Amino acid sequence: LVARWQVGLDLSRLSLQRLTPSLISASAAATRWDGTPSDVTTDGTRDTATEADAADLGFALTALPLPSISSLMHAKAQLDLRDPVARQELELMPQAGYYAGDYGATYPGHRRVEVLMVRYEQVTPELAARWGLTAGSTWLLGQKVTGDQHVPQGEVSFRVPLQGSTGESLLRRSQTDDGVIGWLGEGCLARPGFRGHSYVQGVLLSWPDGRVSFQWDRSQDSVVYEMLDF
């Protein structure tokens, strides 16, 4: 398993510290301090060129809340998992925070590196309606901070069920190999424009050094993400 992923590791390190701050800044700057989208001009019209640039980078010109790493970690620590085995397993799961991955040379250089927010969430009715989940269930979510033409900003790239709405444990260990641990989950696949998107079964992999990756059950390219320290 580790040997299979070794090919992609050098690519995943490419200019992460140099590129990702600007990508996050671009995402956060999508809305001005007064709450108006940054593509709305002083006369109230929309700057279509700015909209096109944003779409090319994989995010819409709306504000995506970016919680602090400490608040994301606190949310994980406060999860109320009833099953004692699931609580122990939670300690082995990826740290909540921000991760960056290199999507390879098939993507243009300006959006080759993408950023994910790994968060642990008890699903609210609002999120349930948006993502097709059951309200009250608990999940690990890999949400895109910057996206691409397939899965844009704000959408969930992968997800792992932890607990059902009635408290039943849904967390399932998949495999362990040389310190790499996997949990059953679902990854998003979509055509350009997020058309026909669906969640397909696979495994979320976690390395001892903090890297993560989602591997689909079917033949599909996967990306190794490294945690950002900022």
Side-chain angles (χ1 to χ4, degrees):
L1 178 64
V2 174
R4 177 179 177 182
W5 288 100
Q6 190 66 45
V7 176
L9 299 189
D10 290 339
L11 283 176
S12 71
R13 300 178 186 277
L14 177 65
S15 304
L16 295 187
Q17 291 184 340
R18 178 175 63 83
L19 290 176
T20 50
S22 61
L23 290 174
I24 292 177
S25 296
S27 173
T31 298
R32 298 192 185 98
W33 66 272
D34 62 358
T36 60
S38 60
D39 66 326
V40 175
T41 61
T42 54
D43 63 0
T45 60
R46 302 189 77 87
D47 183 347
T48 55
T50 303
E51 286 181 327
D53 289 342
D56 183 55
L57 283 167
F59 57 81
L61 290 173
T62 55
L64 176 67
L66 298 178
S68 66
I69 294 177
S70 60
S71 65
L72 291 171
M73 294 176 64
H74 179 74
K76 178 184 178 182
Q78 294 300 306
L79 287 181
D80 182 22
L81 298 186
R82 302 181 188 178
D83 183 80
V85 176
R87 289 198 298 269
Q88 293 177 357
E89 198 75 8
L90 185 65
E91 298 298 319
L92 302 175
M93 299 190 75
Q95 180 174 320
Y98 296 93
Y99 293 74
D102 187 339
Y103 276 59
T106 57
Y107 280 74
H110 67 285
R111 53 181 168 84
R112 177 171 169 171
V113 176
E114 296 188 18
V115 180
L116 284 178
M117 172 170 50
V118 172
R119 54 193 287 191
Y120 291 79
E121 193 87 32
Q122 185 174 35
V123 177
T124 63
E126 179 183 8
L127 292 180
R130 176 178 177 182
W131 289 327
L133 301 174
T134 301
S137 60
T138 306
W139 294 72
L140 177 157
L141 302 174
Q143 186 179 15
K144 290 218 174 179
V145 174
T146 57
D148 53 49
Q149 67 269 37
H150 293 278
V151 182
Q153 176 203 56
E155 299 298 339
V156 173
S157 183
F158 56 78
R159 59 199 193 188
V160 175
L162 306 178
Q163 182 172 272
S165 59
T166 58
E168 72 278 17
S169 178
L170 301 177
L171 188 57
R172 299 290 183 269
R173 173 85 71 90
S174 172
Q175 54 197 353
T176 303
D177 184 10
D178 294 333
V180 181
I181 305 176
W183 296 272
L184 298 181
E186 302 170 336
C188 188
L189 296 176
R191 298 193 297 273
F194 202 48
R195 290 178 293 122
H197 70 278
S198 62
Y199 285 88
V200 179
Q201 289 186 338
V203 178
L204 176 64
L205 300 174
S206 177
W207 278 262
D209 61 6
R211 289 173 295 133
V212 300
S213 181
F214 190 85
Q215 175 185 337
W216 282 267
D217 289 346
R218 56 191 266 183
S219 178
Q220 183 73 30
D221 292 339
S222 298
V223 176
V224 177
Y225 297 90
E226 295 190 35
M227 190 166 193
L228 296 173
D229 183 14
F230 58 87

